[in-house]
Coordinates of all heavy atoms in Angstrom, one line a residue:
M21 N 0.8 -1.2 0.0 CA 0.0 0.0 0.0 C 0.9 1.3 0.0 O 0.6 2.2 0.7 CB -0.9 0.0 1.2 CG -2.0 -1.1 1.1 SD -3.2 -1.1 2.4 CE -3.9 0.6 2.2
Q22 N 1.9 1.2 -0.8 CA 2.7 2.4 -0.9 C 2.0 3.6 -1.5 O 2.3 4.7 -1.1 CB 4.0 2.1 -1.8 CG 5.0 3.1 -1.7 CD 6.4 2.6 -2.1 OE1 6.5 1.4 -2.4 NE2 7.4 3.4 -2.0
F23 N 1.0 3.4 -2.3 CA 0.2 4.5 -2.9 C -1.3 4.1 -2.7 O -1.9 3.6 -3.6 CB 0.5 4.7 -4.4 CG 2.0 5.1 -4.6 CD1 2.9 4.1 -5.0 CD2 2.4 6.4 -4.4 CE1 4.2 4.4 -5.2 CE2 3.7 6.7 -4.6 CZ 4.6 5.7 -5.1
P24 N -1.9 4.4 -1.6 CA -3.2 4.0 -1.3 C -4.3 4.5 -2.3 O -5.3 3.8 -2.4 CB -3.5 4.6 0.1 CG -2.2 4.7 0.7 CD -1.2 5.1 -0.4
I25 N -4.0 5.6 -3.0 CA -5.0 6.0 -4.0 C -4.9 5.3 -5.3 O -5.7 5.5 -6.2 CB -4.8 7.6 -4.2 CG1 -3.5 7.9 -4.9 CG2 -5.1 8.4 -3.0 CD1 -3.3 9.3 -5.4
D26 N -3.9 4.4 -5.4 CA -3.7 3.6 -6.6 C -4.3 2.2 -6.5 O -3.7 1.2 -6.9 CB -2.2 3.6 -6.9 CG -2.0 3.1 -8.4 OD1 -2.9 3.3 -9.2 OD2 -0.9 2.6 -8.6
Q27 N -5.5 2.0 -6.0 CA -6.1 0.7 -5.8 C -6.8 0.3 -7.1 O -7.5 1.1 -7.7 CB -7.1 0.8 -4.7 CG -7.8 -0.5 -4.3 CD -8.8 -0.3 -3.2 OE1 -9.1 0.8 -2.7 NE2 -9.2 -1.4 -2.6
S28 N -6.7 -0.9 -7.5 CA -7.3 -1.4 -8.7 C -8.8 -1.6 -8.5 O -9.3 -1.6 -7.3 CB -6.7 -2.8 -9.1 OG -7.2 -3.8 -8.3
A29 N -9.5 -1.9 -9.5 CA -11.0 -2.1 -9.4 C -11.3 -3.4 -8.6 O -12.4 -3.5 -8.1 CB -11.6 -2.3 -10.8
F30 N -10.3 -4.2 -8.4 CA -10.5 -5.5 -7.6 C -10.0 -5.3 -6.2 O -9.9 -6.3 -5.5 CB -9.8 -6.6 -8.3 CG -10.4 -6.9 -9.7 CD1 -9.7 -6.5 -10.8 CD2 -11.6 -7.5 -9.8 CE1 -10.2 -6.7 -12.1 CE2 -12.1 -7.8 -11.1 CZ -11.5 -7.3 -12.2
G31 N -9.6 -4.1 -5.8 CA -9.1 -3.9 -4.5 C -7.6 -4.2 -4.2 O -7.2 -4.4 -3.1
V32 N -6.9 -4.4 -5.3 CA -5.5 -4.8 -5.2 C -4.6 -3.5 -5.3 O -4.8 -2.6 -6.1 CB -5.1 -5.8 -6.3 CG1 -3.6 -6.1 -6.2 CG2 -5.9 -7.0 -6.3
F33 N -3.6 -3.5 -4.4 CA -2.6 -2.4 -4.4 C -1.3 -2.8 -5.0 O -1.0 -4.0 -5.0 CB -2.4 -1.9 -3.0 CG -3.6 -1.3 -2.3 CD1 -4.4 -2.0 -1.6 CD2 -3.9 0.1 -2.5 CE1 -5.6 -1.5 -0.9 CE2 -5.0 0.7 -1.9 CZ -5.8 -0.1 -1.1
D34 N -0.5 -1.8 -5.4 CA 0.9 -2.1 -5.8 C 1.0 -3.0 -7.0 O 1.9 -3.9 -7.0 CB 1.7 -2.6 -4.6 CG 1.7 -1.6 -3.5 OD1 1.7 -0.4 -3.7 OD2 1.8 -2.0 -2.3
L35 N 0.2 -2.9 -8.0 CA 0.3 -3.7 -9.2 C 1.5 -3.4 -10.1 O 2.0 -4.2 -10.8 CB -1.0 -3.7 -10.0 CG -2.2 -4.4 -9.4 CD1 -3.4 -4.2 -10.3 CD2 -1.9 -5.9 -9.3
C36 N 1.9 -2.1 -10.0 CA 3.0 -1.7 -10.8 C 4.2 -1.3 -10.0 O 4.0 -0.6 -9.0 CB 2.6 -0.5 -11.7 SG 1.3 -0.9 -12.9
G37 N 5.4 -1.7 -10.4 CA 6.6 -1.2 -9.6 C 7.4 -2.3 -9.1 O 8.6 -2.1 -8.8
G38 N 6.9 -3.5 -8.9 CA 7.7 -4.6 -8.4 C 8.4 -5.3 -9.5 O 9.5 -4.9 -9.9
V39 N 7.8 -6.3 -10.1 CA 8.3 -6.9 -11.3 C 7.2 -7.1 -12.3 O 6.0 -7.1 -12.0 CB 8.9 -8.3 -11.0 CG1 10.1 -8.2 -10.1 CG2 7.9 -9.3 -10.4
F40 N 7.6 -7.3 -13.6 CA 6.6 -7.7 -14.6 C 6.0 -9.0 -14.2 O 6.8 -9.9 -13.8 CB 7.2 -7.7 -16.0 CG 7.6 -6.4 -16.6 CD1 8.9 -6.1 -16.9 CD2 6.6 -5.5 -16.9 CE1 9.3 -4.9 -17.4 CE2 7.0 -4.3 -17.5 CZ 8.3 -4.0 -17.7
E41 N 4.8 -9.2 -14.4 CA 4.2 -10.5 -14.1 C 3.7 -11.3 -15.3 O 3.2 -10.7 -16.2 CB 3.0 -10.2 -13.1 CG 3.4 -9.6 -11.9 CD 2.3 -9.0 -11.1 OE1 1.1 -9.1 -11.5 OE2 2.6 -8.4 -10.0
W42 N 4.0 -12.6 -15.3 CA 3.6 -13.4 -16.4 C 2.1 -13.4 -16.6 O 1.3 -13.5 -15.6 CB 4.0 -14.9 -16.2 CG 5.5 -15.0 -16.3 CD1 6.3 -15.3 -15.2 CD2 6.3 -15.0 -17.4 NE1 7.6 -15.4 -15.7 CE2 7.6 -15.2 -17.0 CE3 6.1 -14.8 -18.8 CZ2 8.7 -15.2 -17.9 CZ3 7.1 -14.8 -19.7 CH2 8.4 -15.0 -19.2
L43 N 1.6 -13.3 -17.8 CA 0.2 -13.3 -18.1 C -0.1 -14.6 -18.9 O 0.7 -15.2 -19.5 CB -0.2 -12.1 -18.9 CG 0.1 -10.7 -18.3 CD1 -0.3 -9.6 -19.2 CD2 -0.7 -10.6 -17.0
D44 N -1.4 -15.0 -18.9 CA -1.8 -16.2 -19.6 C -2.2 -16.0 -21.0 O -3.3 -16.3 -21.4 CB -2.9 -16.9 -18.8 CG -3.2 -18.3 -19.3 OD1 -2.3 -18.9 -19.9 OD2 -4.3 -18.8 -19.1
H45 N -1.4 -15.3 -21.8 CA -1.6 -15.1 -23.2 C -0.3 -14.9 -23.9 O 0.7 -14.6 -23.3 CB -2.6 -14.0 -23.5 CG -1.9 -12.6 -23.3 ND1 -2.1 -11.9 -22.1 CD2 -1.2 -11.8 -24.1 CE1 -1.4 -10.8 -22.2 NE2 -0.9 -10.7 -23.4
W46 N -0.3 -15.2 -25.2 CA 0.9 -15.0 -26.1 C 1.0 -13.5 -26.4 O 0.0 -12.9 -26.8 CB 0.9 -15.8 -27.3 CG 1.0 -17.3 -27.0 CD1 0.0 -18.2 -26.9 CD2 2.2 -18.0 -26.7 NE1 0.5 -19.4 -26.6 CE2 1.9 -19.3 -26.4 CE3 3.5 -17.6 -26.5 CZ2 2.8 -20.3 -26.1 CZ3 4.5 -18.5 -26.2 CH2 4.1 -19.9 -26.0
Y47 N 2.2 -12.9 -26.4 CA 2.4 -11.5 -26.7 C 2.5 -11.3 -28.2 O 2.1 -10.3 -28.7 CB 3.7 -11.1 -26.0 CG 4.0 -9.6 -26.3 CD1 3.3 -8.6 -25.7 CD2 5.1 -9.3 -27.1 CE1 3.6 -7.3 -26.0 CE2 5.4 -8.0 -27.4 CZ 4.7 -7.0 -26.8 OH 5.0 -5.7 -27.0
D48 N 3.0 -12.3 -28.9 CA 3.2 -12.2 -30.3 C 2.5 -13.3 -31.1 O 2.1 -14.3 -30.5 CB 4.7 -12.2 -30.7 CG 5.4 -13.5 -30.3 OD1 4.8 -14.3 -29.5 OD2 6.5 -13.8 -30.8
E49 N 2.1 -13.0 -32.3 CA 1.4 -14.0 -33.1 C 2.1 -15.3 -33.4 O 1.5 -16.3 -33.6 CB 1.0 -13.4 -34.4 CG -0.1 -12.3 -34.2 CD -0.5 -11.7 -35.6 OE1 -0.4 -12.4 -36.6 OE2 -1.0 -10.5 -35.6
G50 N 3.5 -15.2 -33.4 CA 4.3 -16.4 -33.6 C 4.4 -17.3 -32.4 O 5.0 -18.4 -32.5
R51 N 3.8 -16.9 -31.3 CA 3.9 -17.7 -30.1 C 5.3 -18.0 -29.6 O 5.6 -19.1 -29.2 CB 3.1 -19.0 -30.2 CG 1.6 -18.7 -30.4 CD 0.8 -20.0 -30.4 NE -0.6 -19.6 -30.6 CZ -1.6 -20.1 -29.9 NH1 -1.3 -21.1 -29.0 NH2 -2.8 -19.8 -30.1
H52 N 6.1 -16.9 -29.6 CA 7.5 -17.0 -29.1 C 7.7 -16.3 -27.8 O 8.6 -16.5 -27.1 CB 8.5 -16.4 -30.2 CG 8.4 -17.1 -31.5 ND1 8.0 -16.5 -32.6 CD2 8.8 -18.4 -31.8 CE1 8.1 -17.4 -33.6 NE2 8.5 -18.5 -33.1
Q53 N 6.7 -15.4 -27.5 CA 6.8 -14.6 -26.3 C 5.5 -14.6 -25.5 O 4.4 -14.5 -26.1 CB 7.2 -13.2 -26.6 CG 8.6 -13.0 -27.2 CD 8.9 -11.5 -27.3 OE1 8.1 -10.7 -27.4 NE2 10.2 -11.2 -27.3
R54 N 5.6 -14.8 -24.2 CA 4.4 -14.7 -23.3 C 4.2 -13.2 -22.9 O 5.2 -12.5 -22.8 CB 4.6 -15.5 -22.1 CG 4.4 -17.0 -22.3 CD 2.9 -17.2 -22.4 NE 2.6 -18.7 -22.4 CZ 1.4 -19.1 -22.6 NH1 0.4 -18.3 -22.8 NH2 1.2 -20.4 -22.7
G55 N 3.0 -12.9 -22.7 CA 2.7 -11.5 -22.2 C 3.2 -11.3 -20.8 O 3.2 -12.2 -20.0
L56 N 3.7 -10.0 -20.6 CA 4.1 -9.6 -19.2 C 3.3 -8.3 -18.9 O 3.1 -7.5 -19.8 CB 5.6 -9.3 -19.2 CG 6.5 -10.5 -19.4 CD1 7.9 -10.0 -19.6 CD2 6.4 -11.4 -18.2
G57 N 2.7 -8.2 -17.7 CA 2.0 -7.1 -17.4 C 2.5 -6.4 -16.1 O 3.4 -6.9 -15.5
G58 N 1.9 -5.3 -15.8 CA 2.4 -4.6 -14.6 C 3.5 -3.6 -14.9 O 3.6 -3.1 -16.0
G59 N 4.4 -3.4 -14.0 CA 5.5 -2.6 -14.2 C 6.7 -3.1 -13.4 O 6.5 -3.7 -12.3
A60 N 7.9 -3.0 -13.9 CA 9.1 -3.5 -13.1 C 9.9 -2.3 -12.6 O 10.0 -1.3 -13.3 CB 9.9 -4.4 -14.1
W61 N 10.5 -2.6 -11.5 CA 11.4 -1.6 -10.9 C 12.5 -1.1 -11.7 O 12.9 0.1 -11.6 CB 11.9 -2.2 -9.6 CG 12.8 -3.3 -9.8 CD1 12.4 -4.6 -9.9 CD2 14.2 -3.3 -10.1 NE1 13.5 -5.5 -10.2 CE2 14.6 -4.7 -10.3 CE3 15.2 -2.3 -10.2 CZ2 15.9 -5.0 -10.6 CZ3 16.5 -2.7 -10.5 CH2 16.8 -4.0 -10.7
G62 N 13.0 -1.9 -12.6 CA 14.1 -1.5 -13.5 C 13.8 -0.9 -14.8 O 14.7 -0.6 -15.6
H63 N 12.5 -0.6 -15.1 CA 12.1 -0.1 -16.3 C 11.3 1.2 -16.1 O 10.3 1.2 -15.4 CB 11.2 -1.0 -17.1 CG 11.9 -2.3 -17.5 ND1 12.5 -2.4 -18.7 CD2 12.2 -3.4 -16.8 CE1 13.1 -3.6 -18.7 NE2 12.9 -4.2 -17.6
S64 N 11.8 2.3 -16.7 CA 11.1 3.6 -16.4 C 10.3 4.1 -17.6 O 9.6 5.1 -17.5 CB 12.2 4.7 -16.1 OG 13.1 4.8 -17.3
D65 N 10.2 3.3 -18.6 CA 9.3 3.7 -19.8 C 7.9 3.6 -19.4 O 7.4 2.5 -19.2 CB 9.6 2.8 -21.0 CG 8.8 3.2 -22.2 OD1 8.0 4.1 -22.2 OD2 9.0 2.5 -23.2
P66 N 7.1 4.7 -19.3 CA 5.7 4.6 -18.9 C 4.8 3.8 -19.9 O 3.8 3.3 -19.5 CB 5.2 6.1 -18.9 CG 6.4 6.9 -19.1 CD 7.5 6.0 -19.6
G67 N 5.3 3.7 -21.1 CA 4.5 2.9 -22.1 C 4.5 1.4 -21.8 O 3.7 0.6 -22.3
M68 N 5.5 1.0 -21.0 CA 5.6 -0.5 -20.6 C 4.7 -0.8 -19.4 O 4.6 -2.0 -19.2 CB 7.1 -0.8 -20.4 CG 7.9 -0.7 -21.6 SD 9.6 -1.0 -21.3 CE 9.6 -2.8 -21.2
I69 N 4.3 0.1 -18.7 CA 3.5 -0.2 -17.5 C 2.0 -0.4 -17.9 O 1.3 0.6 -18.2 CB 3.6 1.0 -16.5 CG1 5.0 1.1 -16.0 CG2 2.7 0.7 -15.3 CD1 5.2 2.3 -15.1
S70 N 1.6 -1.6 -18.0 CA 0.3 -2.0 -18.5 C -0.2 -3.3 -17.8 O 0.5 -4.3 -17.9 CB 0.3 -2.2 -20.0 OG -0.9 -2.7 -20.4
V71 N -1.2 -3.2 -17.0 CA -1.7 -4.4 -16.4 C -2.2 -5.4 -17.4 O -2.1 -6.6 -17.2 CB -2.9 -4.0 -15.4 CG1 -3.5 -5.3 -14.8 CG2 -2.3 -3.1 -14.3
A72 N -2.7 -4.9 -18.6 CA -3.1 -5.8 -19.6 C -2.0 -6.5 -20.4 O -2.2 -7.4 -21.2 CB -4.0 -5.1 -20.6
G73 N -0.8 -6.0 -20.3 CA 0.3 -6.6 -21.0 C 0.9 -5.7 -22.1 O 0.4 -5.8 -23.2
G74 N 1.9 -5.0 -21.8 CA 2.6 -4.1 -22.7 C 3.9 -4.6 -23.1 O 4.7 -3.8 -23.7
Y75 N 4.3 -5.8 -22.7 CA 5.7 -6.3 -22.9 C 5.6 -7.8 -23.1 O 4.6 -8.4 -22.6 CB 6.5 -5.9 -21.7 CG 7.9 -6.1 -21.7 CD1 8.7 -5.5 -22.7 CD2 8.6 -6.8 -20.8 CE1 10.1 -5.6 -22.8 CE2 10.0 -7.0 -20.8 CZ 10.7 -6.4 -21.8 OH 12.1 -6.5 -21.8
G76 N 6.6 -8.4 -23.7 CA 6.6 -9.8 -23.8 C 8.0 -10.4 -23.6 O 9.0 -9.7 -23.8
A77 N 8.1 -11.7 -23.3 CA 9.4 -12.3 -23.2 C 9.2 -13.8 -23.5 O 8.1 -14.4 -23.4 CB 9.9 -12.1 -21.7
A78 N 10.3 -14.4 -23.8 CA 10.3 -15.9 -24.1 C 9.9 -16.6 -22.8 O 10.3 -16.2 -21.7 CB 11.7 -16.4 -24.5
P79 N 9.1 -17.7 -22.9 CA 8.6 -18.4 -21.7 C 9.7 -18.9 -20.8 O 9.5 -19.0 -19.6 CB 7.8 -19.5 -22.3 CG 7.4 -19.1 -23.7 CD 8.5 -18.2 -24.2
E80 N 10.9 -19.1 -21.4 CA 11.9 -19.6 -20.5 C 12.8 -18.5 -20.0 O 13.8 -18.8 -19.3 CB 12.8 -20.6 -21.3 CG 13.6 -20.1 -22.5 CD 12.7 -20.0 -23.7 OE1 11.5 -20.3 -23.8 OE2 13.3 -19.6 -24.8
A81 N 12.5 -17.3 -20.2 CA 13.3 -16.1 -19.8 C 13.3 -16.0 -18.3 O 12.3 -16.2 -17.6 CB 12.7 -14.8 -20.4
T82 N 14.4 -15.6 -17.7 CA 14.5 -15.3 -16.3 C 15.2 -13.9 -16.2 O 16.0 -13.5 -17.1 CB 15.4 -16.3 -15.6 OG1 16.7 -16.3 -16.1 CG2 14.8 -17.7 -15.6
S83 N 14.8 -13.2 -15.2 CA 15.3 -11.8 -15.0 C 14.9 -11.3 -13.6 O 13.9 -11.8 -13.0 CB 14.6 -10.9 -16.1 OG 14.8 -9.5 -15.7
A84 N 15.6 -10.4 -13.1 CA 15.3 -9.8 -11.8 C 14.0 -8.9 -11.9 O 13.5 -8.5 -10.9 CB 16.5 -8.9 -11.3
S85 N 13.6 -8.7 -13.2 CA 12.4 -7.8 -13.3 C 11.2 -8.6 -13.9 O 10.2 -8.0 -14.3 CB 12.7 -6.6 -14.3 OG 13.1 -7.1 -15.5
I86 N 11.2 -10.0 -13.8 CA 10.1 -10.8 -14.3 C 9.8 -11.8 -13.1 O 10.7 -12.4 -12.6 CB 10.5 -11.6 -15.5 CG1 10.8 -10.7 -16.7 CG2 9.3 -12.6 -15.9 CD1 11.3 -11.4 -18.0
G87 N 8.5 -11.9 -12.8 CA 8.1 -12.8 -11.7 C 6.6 -13.1 -11.8 O 6.0 -13.1 -12.8
M88 N 6.0 -13.3 -10.6 CA 4.6 -13.6 -10.5 C 4.1 -13.0 -9.2 O 4.8 -12.8 -8.3 CB 4.3 -15.1 -10.6 CG 4.9 -15.9 -9.5 SD 4.6 -17.6 -9.7 CE 6.1 -18.0 -10.6
R89 N 2.8 -12.8 -9.2 CA 2.1 -12.3 -8.0 C 1.4 -13.5 -7.4 O 0.6 -14.2 -8.1 CB 1.1 -11.2 -8.4 CG 0.4 -10.7 -7.2 CD -0.5 -9.5 -7.6 NE 0.3 -8.4 -8.1 CZ 0.8 -7.4 -7.4 NH1 0.6 -7.3 -6.1 NH2 1.5 -6.5 -8.0
L90 N 1.6 -13.8 -6.1 CA 0.9 -14.8 -5.4 C -0.3 -14.2 -4.8 O -0.3 -13.1 -4.2 CB 1.8 -15.5 -4.4 CG 3.1 -16.1 -4.9 CD1 3.9 -16.6 -3.8 CD2 2.8 -17.2 -5.9
V91 N -1.4 -15.0 -4.8 CA -2.7 -14.5 -4.3 C -3.2 -15.5 -3.3 O -3.2 -16.7 -3.6 CB -3.7 -14.2 -5.4 CG1 -5.0 -13.8 -4.8 CG2 -3.2 -13.2 -6.4
L92 N -3.6 -15.0 -2.1 CA -4.2 -15.9 -1.1 C -5.7 -15.4 -1.1 O -6.0 -14.3 -0.7 CB -3.6 -15.7 0.2 CG -4.3 -16.4 1.4 CD1 -4.3 -17.9 1.2 CD2 -3.7 -16.0 2.7
R93 N -6.6 -16.3 -1.4 CA -8.0 -16.1 -1.3 C -8.5 -16.5 0.0 O -8.4 -17.7 0.4 CB -8.8 -16.8 -2.4 CG -8.4 -16.2 -3.8 CD -9.2 -16.9 -4.9 NE -8.8 -16.4 -6.1 CZ -9.5 -15.9 -7.0 NH1 -10.8 -15.7 -6.8 NH2 -9.1 -15.5 -8.2
V94 N -9.1 -15.6 0.7 CA -9.7 -15.9 2.0 C -11.1 -16.3 1.9 O -11.9 -15.6 1.3 CB -9.5 -14.7 3.0 CG1 -10.1 -15.0 4.4 CG2 -8.0 -14.4 3.1
G95 N -11.5 -17.4 2.5 CA -12.9 -17.9 2.4 C -13.8 -17.1 3.4 O -13.4 -16.1 4.0
R96 N -15.0 -17.7 3.5 CA -15.9 -17.0 4.4 C -15.4 -17.0 5.9 O -14.8 -18.0 6.3 CB -17.2 -17.8 4.4 CG -17.9 -17.6 3.0 CD -19.2 -18.4 3.0 NE -19.8 -18.4 1.7 CZ -21.0 -18.4 1.5 NH1 -21.9 -18.5 2.4 NH2 -21.5 -18.4 0.2
E97 N -15.8 -16.0 6.6 CA -15.4 -15.9 8.0 C -14.0 -16.0 8.3 O -13.5 -16.6 9.3 CB -16.2 -16.9 8.8 CG -17.7 -16.7 8.7 CD -18.5 -17.7 9.5 OE1 -18.0 -18.4 10.4 OE2 -19.7 -17.9 9.2
G98 N -13.1 -15.6 7.3 CA -11.7 -15.6 7.5 C -11.0 -16.9 7.4 O -9.8 -17.0 7.7
T99 N -11.7 -18.0 7.0 CA -11.0 -19.3 6.8 C -10.2 -19.3 5.5 O -10.5 -18.5 4.6 CB -12.0 -20.4 6.8 OG1 -12.9 -20.2 5.7 CG2 -12.8 -20.5 8.1
R100 N -9.3 -20.1 5.4 CA -8.5 -20.2 4.2 C -8.8 -21.5 3.5 O -9.2 -22.5 3.9 CB -7.0 -20.2 4.5 CG -6.6 -18.9 5.1 CD -5.1 -18.9 5.4 NE -4.8 -17.7 6.0 CZ -3.6 -17.3 6.3 NH1 -2.6 -18.1 6.0 NH2 -3.3 -16.2 6.8

């Protein structure tokens, strides 16, 4: 919650600024790159910050600026 006014429509904070997150779609028509969304700490180009996916990388790519977001869904009455 570094920027409380930057909450997504789903109630999620801090979607941009950590690492690019893998998305479940191909970035290019040749199916060589998977989509990456969000924004990474090491990239300052505002055009690359896109939750929908403004960047792509080979599926086997590794980098300090590519990762994933883990989500814990809490059930009713606080149960997991």
Side-chain angles (χ1 to χ4, degrees):
M21 293 186 57
Q22 192 157 1
F23 300 99
I25 62 169
D26 195 24
Q27 183 178 12
S28 78
F30 299 102
V32 180
F33 293 94
D34 300 326
L35 287 175
C36 296
V39 295
F40 290 115
E41 297 165 2
W42 291 107
L43 302 174
D44 191 23
H45 73 264
W46 292 101
Y47 179 73
D48 60 345
E49 291 182 26
R51 295 185 178 223
H52 298 114
Q53 295 185 334
R54 282 284 187 187
L56 295 169
W61 61 271
H63 296 266
S64 61
D65 180 2
M68 295 178 75
I69 298 174
S70 170
V71 177
Y75 191 56
E80 66 275 3
T82 60
S83 167
S85 61
I86 299 174
M88 67 184 85
R89 181 175 299 268
L90 300 177
V91 177
L92 172 66
R93 293 182 185 238
V94 178
R96 293 181 186 208
E97 299 177 19
T99 62
R100 294 182 183 186

